[in-house]
Amino acid sequence: MQPPTLSLIGTTPRMRWAWTAAGVLLIAGWVHRPASAQEPAIFRGADLKLGEELIAQHRCAQCHAEKVGGDGSAIYRPLGVINNAGLLRGMVEQCNATLNFQMFPEEVTAVAAVLNRDHYRFKD
Ligand code: HEC
């Protein structure tokens, strides 16, 4: 005796094959979704933990809060002049130089990647 739910799915070999194929295609499509759909190429593999530490260490939020109030995050304007990942990283590099933080290039990337994840959400 087959349980009734199984007969709904179809128990002929052809039906079983069709469901297996559909499942495989679904999983394959999910695994192979392009990484660029979620994060810009320049932030791929960035050390987000390091970025978070640097943001805390350099008191980015404190200074921004003095300027715009709240927690300072209002200074990040995704719809402003900085409207892609390259410009965002460039802005962080500029702050790095102006404020003399002496971050390494990977550190600048890490910081920008965290800002992108939390505030800007650029896809490219
Ligand atoms: C001493 C104060 C100060 C510190 C410290 C500081 N910033 Fe800023 N930051 C500013 C000011 C002021 C602006 C706004 C400039 C403007 O647009 O008028 C700004 C703007 C920005 C912007 C551009 C926002 C946008 O969308 O236009 C980014 C990105 C940014 N800061 C990142 C950082 C990061 C990352 C750090 C820490 C590593 C940092 N800043 C530390 C003062 C500071």
Side-chain angles (χ1 to χ4, degrees), residues 28-70:
W30 186 77
V31 168
H32 284 274
R33 93 213 115 109
S36 59
Q38 328 165 69
E39 59 173 351
I42 59 167
F43 296 149
R44 215 165 286 157
D47 189 340
L48 297 172
K49 185 97 199 341
L50 173 69
E52 287 168 357
E53 283 165 12
L54 288 163
I55 287 169
Q57 181 192 331
H58 293 307
R59 310 177 66 78
C60 313
Q62 283 85 339
C63 182
H64 293 158
E66 280 171 32
K67 174 114 174 150
V68 297

Side-chain angles (χ1 to χ4, degrees), residues 74-90:
I75 208 148
Y76 305 129
R77 293 158 299 178
L79 303 176
V81 183
I82 294 162
N83 59 10
N84 66 51
L87 288 176
L88 173 56
R89 194 196 171 284

